Each structure stands twice: as structure tokens, then as C-alpha cells.
Amino acid sequence: MRYIAAYLLLTIGGNTSPSAADIKKVLSAGGVEVDDSRLDSLISELSDKSIDQLIAEGSSKLASVRACCHCH
């Protein structure tokens, strides 16, 4: 989750295609130890997608999940 959060922070800041080094810099600044293999995997998965596309895909998946509330 931290890797995605750093990626999103960078895109919000105007970096439309954050690199592994960019993400590592953000995470290291926050005191997070970076697992290079996990980071490389994330970059590989996101390399051909825009952040808008990813959010749209995620939103549609969340919409299909039924919410359950056991409020009394």
C-alpha cells in the first residue's frame, strides 16, 4: 500500500510517470525501507497504464462489492 501511496503522491504532484527511483525517494524520506523487487513489480504493472485508468478500474471493482453493515 505504501508503494501505491507514494506513486499517487507523485502523480498528484505532477509526475505523470513516476520511476522506481522517484518512489524510492518518497518512501525513504518517510523512513520506509524499500523492497526493490516489490517496487520493480509495481513499476512493471503500472508501466502501460494512466492513473486515471487505474482509478476507473478500481472504482468499478469496488462498486461490485456488496457492503454489509451489522448496525443495531
Side-chain angles (χ1 to χ4, degrees):
M1 194 65 118
R2 294 174 180 173
Y3 298 85
I4 296 289
Y7 184 90
L8 289 171
L9 283 171
L10 288 161
T11 58
I12 289 169
N15 184 341
T16 58
S17 185
S19 68
D22 295 331
I23 295 170
K24 192 176 222 177
K25 186 175 180 180
V26 168
L27 292 172
S28 295
V32 175
E33 189 174 320
V34 177
D35 178 343
D36 289 325
S37 64
R38 289 182 67 192
L39 181 54
D40 291 341
S41 177
L42 174 72
I43 294 298
S44 156
E45 291 290 325
L46 300 179
S47 65
D48 297 333
K49 298 181 180 179
S50 73
I51 194 65
D52 295 326
Q53 178 186 7
L54 293 168
I55 291 172
E57 288 175 10
S59 294
S60 68
K61 288 178 183 178
L62 284 175
S64 68
V65 176
R66 288 184 56 152
C68 179
C69 180
H70 297 286
C71 300
H72 298 286

